[in-house]
Amino acid sequence: MWTGSINGVKLQVWATWLFYAVLVDLGDAVADELSLPFDRISLEMIYRGLYHFNVAYDKGNAEDPIKYFAAPENQDLGVVKYLRKPVSKLDLSPFPAPS
């Protein structure tokens, strides 16, 4: 929706912040359900997974989005971020020590 009035812009900003707050709250609830820290949960994949939850809800296969995202059969949605390898420190000394 495009608008040039200040009230329209304020409404769009308010709606965006409200949706983000709901998304963060949902991500936090999923993290609690999985007993993981919040930063391991991908909010983007929660947002994308809402479509899949809606389809499952319409078919009668899901009732609660938190349990849906935490279910083992739905881990292919990518809600939980993969653990990355730690970044190795680059040794820039002229004669690096063998590792």
Side-chain angles (χ1 to χ4, degrees):
M1 165 171 85
W2 184 90
T3 183
S5 72
I6 190 67
N7 287 336
V9 173
K10 286 180 180 180
L11 179 66
Q12 289 176 356
V13 170
W14 180 81
T16 301
W17 276 108
L18 183 64
F19 179 72
Y20 180 72
V22 169
L23 195 61
V24 167
D25 193 38
L26 180 59
D28 187 42
V30 171
D32 286 344
E33 183 76 20
L34 293 172
S35 300
L36 292 172
F38 175 71
D39 54 342
R40 289 279 316 275
I41 302 299
S42 171
L43 293 182
E44 179 183 358
M45 298 312 285
I46 291 270
Y47 171 68
R48 289 178 172 210
L50 286 174
Y51 168 78
H52 299 285
F53 169 73
N54 191 31
V55 170
Y57 181 81
D58 288 342
K59 290 181 178 179
N61 297 334
E63 292 291 324
D64 183 19
I66 298 165
K67 298 211 182 296
Y68 179 79
F69 289 124
E73 62 269 11
N74 296 327
Q75 294 305 309
D76 60 340
L77 293 174
V79 172
V80 178
K81 296 178 187 176
Y82 293 108
L83 289 176
R84 296 182 179 180
K85 295 179 184 176
V87 178
S88 61
K89 188 172 179 179
L90 185 59
D91 187 5
L92 297 175
S93 62
F95 302 106
S99 53

